[in-house]
């Protein structure tokens, strides 16, 4: 069921799943404009300036584990995704987080429970188009069962999952590839932390989880490794049991 007032003129659930049928078809000729597949969600353009300085965001950054059961706006969700892996240099594909050798092996998945104008489900963020591609039904409950931090995930309006392409990373860096991916996920997660502060939101890196179960929950293809899980939401009122650090 969609949230009241959501999706507006966007595709319905039936159209969302049409993207899978399109996935195996060859694309249009390079000279033609690329059409938007049914179900793809175009995100509002990211903001590149705000009222909070970097120094203020660093001072206010906390790990927030308790969230009010209120929705995020689509613009807020898009801004968080952009902070994690958005394009900042269109000429060469440079992103908000640094990557060794500009490999960019990370992909961000958004498990949306309460995001306005977005049907509950799991989406893959495409940095090049700043848009979301629907992947599957909502999997927050399955993610919540993958570790001891499930209560945080269930209360959050959305959950970001940072995933690394192990095959690409290993081909470039050999046996030590995992350290490069972990470092890059750390860069991206700190970006999300600071962006959340600037938006008046809260998040935490809930990284104690069973990777096999997370792969199963998101139906990740072979070679993709979950690196970080970050629930996001409006912080609960003071005295609600939140213990920021």
């Amino acid at each position: 069921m969609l949230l009241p007032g959501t999706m507006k003129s966007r595709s319905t659930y039936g159209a969302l799943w049409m993207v899978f049928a399109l996935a195996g078809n060859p694309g249009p000729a390079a000279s033609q404009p690329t059409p938007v597949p049914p179900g793809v969600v175009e995100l509002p353009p990211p903001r590149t300036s705000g009222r909070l300085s970097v120094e203020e965001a660093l001072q206010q950054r906390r790990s927030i584990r308790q969230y009010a059961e209120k929705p995020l706006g689509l613009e807020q969700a898009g801004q968080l995704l952009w902070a994690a892996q958005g394009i900042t240099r269109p000429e060469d594909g440079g992103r908000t987080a640094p990557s060794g050798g500009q490999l960019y092996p990370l992909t961000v998945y958004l498990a949306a429970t309460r995001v306005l104008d977005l049907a509950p489900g799991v989406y893959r963020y495409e940095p090049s188009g700043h848009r979301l591609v629907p992947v599957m039904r909502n999997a927050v409950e399955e993610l919540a069962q993958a570790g001891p931090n499930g209560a945080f995930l269930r209360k959050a309006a959305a959950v970001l999952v940072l995933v690394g392409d192990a095959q690409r990373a290993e081909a470039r860096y050999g046996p030590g590839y995992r350290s490069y991916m972990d470092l890059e996920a750390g860069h991206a997660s700190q970006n999300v932390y600071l962006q959340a502060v600037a938006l008046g939101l809260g998040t935490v890196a809930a990284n104690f989880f069973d990777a096999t179960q997370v792969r199963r929950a998101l139906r990740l293809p072979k070679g993709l490794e979950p690196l970080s899980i970050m629930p996001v939401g409006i912080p609960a009122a003071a005295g609600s049991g939140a213990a920021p650090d």
Side-chain angles (χ1 to χ4, degrees):
M1 180 178 294
L2 303 184
L3 292 171
T6 62
M7 295 301 286
K8 296 179 181 176
S9 60
R10 303 187 195 281
S11 304
T12 62
Y13 256 126
L16 285 175
W17 304 118
M18 288 177 64
V19 70
F20 298 110
L22 294 173
N25 295 334
S31 59
Q32 298 176 350
T34 303
V36 178
V40 168
V41 178
E42 301 291 333
L43 294 166
R47 292 187 290 104
T48 56
S49 62
R51 293 192 293 265
L52 200 70
S53 70
V54 173
E55 293 81 3
E56 290 170 314
L58 287 168
Q59 173 64 30
Q60 296 176 31
R61 188 218 61 78
R62 299 291 185 273
S63 291
I64 304 298
R65 297 174 174 82
Q66 299 292 334
Y67 310 102
E69 295 190 41
K70 298 178 181 179
L72 299 183
L74 186 62
E75 182 178 4
Q76 291 175 312
Q79 194 70 29
L80 290 165
L81 293 163
W82 177 83
Q85 282 290 284
I87 299 293
T88 56
R89 294 195 313 272
E91 63 274 14
D92 65 358
R95 300 187 185 182
T96 52
S99 179
Q102 271 193 288
L103 184 63
Y104 300 118
L106 297 190
T107 297
V108 186
Y109 287 82
L110 177 73
T113 300
R114 291 184 301 277
V115 178
L116 298 176
D117 295 325
L118 197 61
V122 176
Y123 298 80
R124 186 182 70 252
Y125 177 57
E126 287 194 347
S128 59
H130 190 55
R131 61 189 191 176
L132 293 172
V133 176
V135 174
M136 57 181 290
R137 61 177 177 78
N138 204 358
V140 167
E141 182 56 37
E142 294 172 79
L143 291 172
Q145 294 175 17
N149 300 313
F152 312 154
L153 277 61
R154 292 185 182 98
K155 290 285 188 179
V159 177
L160 275 63
V161 183
L162 308 182
V163 173
D165 188 330
Q167 293 178 338
R168 285 183 60 206
E170 187 173 18
R172 172 72 67 89
Y173 297 114
Y177 75 92
R178 181 62 191 240
S179 63
Y180 284 92
M181 291 204 309
D182 286 338
L183 182 62
E184 191 164 335
H187 295 320
S189 64
Q190 179 72 346
N191 283 2
V192 174
Y193 262 113
L194 298 179
Q195 183 66 80
V197 171
L199 294 173
L201 303 173
T203 188
V204 62
N207 289 344
F208 184 26
F209 55 79
D210 182 332
T212 298
Q213 190 162 338
V214 174
R215 289 190 203 98
R216 187 181 302 118
L218 297 181
R219 313 297 190 265
L220 294 179
K222 184 178 179 180
L224 296 188
E225 298 185 9
L227 304 173
S228 185
I229 296 178
M230 303 187 74
V232 182
I234 297 172
S240 64
D245 56 39

